[in-house]
Amino acid sequence: MIEEITGKKLVPLFDEKDLKDRVKDLGEQISSDFPEGVTIIGVLKGSFIFVADLVREITCPVQVEFIGVSSYEGTETTGHVRITNDLTGDIAGKDVILVEDIVDTGNTIDYLLNVLEVRSPSSLRICTLLSKPECHQMQHQLDYVGFQITKEFVIGYGLDLEGRYRQLPSIMQLIDP
Ligand code: 5GP
């Protein structure tokens, strides 16, 4: 069905166990880096499932915020990022981790870090489940990376194709047949 719509082949990349194990590692690393507590800011919409699983693997005190951005249409980035939902809480003086589903060009991360830095958090780090190093154009470093992947479009575990398929429990890659 997806293959018919996109003309691409759907290939499994990470199954539920791969994701659970890696999210657990990331949660342990974050808990040990921030024993006093941390504020997680999930980037909507793609990170909502990752954030839900990640915070349940974090053992230090944790607060959760979301910020909504829009930058993609179909399988192509538009290069223009805009905020669709802002934070509800103040992050001044807090240790903050911005949590992305995937870093492709890194434009979204660069834009959001610039927006958040002026709100004076005590520290600001980046965590992403997936990273596409060959597409990166950004200035900031990634602090926590779940998996590095190639540039092909992926769906599932929160990641969509035109608003659909976010509920797939594993991550699948769309590749040229
Ligand atoms: P960037 O600004 O790093 O180029 O893109 C970041 C955003 O683009 C991600 O948060 C995600 O919403 C979307 N994106 C980038 N690559 C993919 C992909 O392979 N699959 C999906 N579903 N979204 C992607």
Side-chain angles (χ1 to χ4, degrees):
M1 172 72 171
I2 305 174
E3 292 173 335
E4 282 158 25
I5 297 169
T6 60
K8 306 225 178 199
K9 201 164 144 34
L10 201 56
V11 177
L13 194 58
F14 302 115
D15 66 17
E16 286 172 80
K17 180 164 188 324
D18 300 329
L19 293 166
K20 190 167 179 27
D21 290 349
R22 192 67 189 117
V23 172
K24 191 171 190 327
D25 293 342
L26 293 171
E28 281 170 6
Q29 218 180 323
I30 289 169
S31 308
S32 109
D33 290 349
F34 295 96
E36 304 294 311
V38 70
T39 299
I40 296 290
I41 300 180
V43 182
L44 291 172
K45 297 176 188 169
S47 76
F48 78 107
I49 291 177
F50 176 39
V51 168
D53 287 345
L54 181 65
V55 295
R56 285 179 287 176
E57 300 293 353
I58 293 178
T59 49
C60 64
V62 63
Q63 293 188 346
V64 183
E65 285 278 345
F66 285 99
I67 193 160
V69 293
S70 170
S71 66
Y72 258 64
E73 277 169 25
T75 59
E76 297 295 326
T77 181
T78 60
H80 301 288
V81 185
R82 65 187 174 87
I83 292 188
T84 54
N85 286 292
D86 207 341
L87 306 179
T88 54
D90 188 5
I91 57 164
K94 296 188 173 164
D95 289 312
V96 172
I97 303 179
L98 189 62
V99 177
E100 263 277 32
D101 51 352
I102 184 164
V103 174
D104 183 342
T105 61
N107 288 337
T108 309
I109 281 294
D110 272 350
Y111 172 82
L112 283 176
L113 285 174
N114 292 336
V115 166
L116 296 175
E117 265 160 8
V118 297
R119 301 185 189 183
S120 309
S122 162
S123 66
L124 184 52
R125 293 194 185 183
I126 306 168
C127 173
T128 185
L129 178 66
L130 305 174
S131 168
K132 295 180 175 175
E134 64 191 294
C135 304
H136 288 181
Q137 300 169 11
M138 75 253 192
Q139 288 151 12
H140 295 89
Q141 297 286 319
L142 303 176
D143 301 290
Y144 307 96
V145 176
F147 302 99
Q148 292 197 337
I149 63 169
T150 53
K151 64 179 181 340
E152 285 77 20
F153 199 77
V154 289
I155 57 170
Y157 196 68
L159 289 135
D160 73 314
L161 173 63
E162 296 181 353
R164 298 183 59 192
Y165 312 114
R166 294 189 196 275
Q167 79 273 34
L168 294 178
S170 57
I171 293 186
M172 320 277 277
Q173 206 165 25
L174 288 167
I175 61 165
D176 287 324

